[in-house]
Amino acid sequence: MICYDISVIEDPKRLNRVARYLQKVACRVQYSVFVGQFTNRGLDAVLQELSAIIDPKMDDVRCYPLPEQADVVLMGQQLFPDDILLIRDGYNLLRLGEAAVRDRDKGKEAEAKVEVEDD
């Protein structure tokens, strides 16, 4: 997860440059919060690019690693409506928390059952 607080006092366009760059490499989950899946090398490249854009004396950019299975509490209006799906490997990446884990585990159980029946 990468989030930022960019000062617009001296260079208002810097905020747009950071947002546009992150939109290319990650998924926006809130106005200044992005989530992406990166290799170590890929993350290093993203952080290097961000460091070239920001002003370290004025801006605050943070990168927090997230576990693969995270329980998330969603409150208030969400960025994506319920009928919007982001599918990878057969799972909706926008559906977070316990429901996603249950769905993933159900899928694995179904796959295992099919394998046993095929034998």
Side-chain angles (χ1 to χ4, degrees):
M1 176 172 64
I2 300 173
C3 50
Y4 60 80
D5 185 10
I6 305 297
S7 174
V8 294
I9 295 172
E10 292 181 15
D11 184 2
K13 293 181 181 181
R14 193 169 60 245
L15 172 64
N16 290 331
R17 288 194 303 270
V18 169
R20 277 195 313 270
Y21 174 69
L22 285 173
Q23 285 176 322
K24 292 177 185 177
V25 298
C27 179
R28 177 176 269 176
V29 293
Q30 286 188 348
Y31 184 74
S32 61
V33 180
F34 291 78
V35 174
Q37 190 170 13
F38 306 102
T39 63
N40 288 337
R41 183 179 288 177
L43 180 59
D44 288 344
V46 168
L47 297 177
Q48 185 174 6
E49 182 67 27
L50 286 171
S51 71
I53 299 171
I54 70 164
D55 179 344
K57 294 178 184 171
M58 305 279 295
D59 302 329
D60 180 15
V61 176
R62 298 176 185 212
C63 179
Y64 299 101
L66 298 175
E68 237 178 83
Q69 297 177 21
D71 286 330
V72 177
V73 176
L74 304 173
M75 297 170 37
Q77 184 172 347
Q78 302 304 306
L79 181 62
F80 298 102
D82 290 337
D83 60 342
I84 299 296
L85 305 175
L86 179 59
I87 305 296
R88 179 188 290 159
D89 299 328
Y91 301 103
N92 183 3
L93 299 180
L94 299 178
R95 189 165 179 197
L96 304 172
E98 290 182 27
V101 172
R102 277 194 311 273
D103 289 351
R104 186 200 66 219
D105 291 344
K106 283 180 188 176
K108 286 182 180 178
E109 289 171 12
E111 289 171 9
K113 186 177 179 182
V114 169
E115 288 176 14
V116 170
E117 291 174 356
D118 289 343
D119 291 340

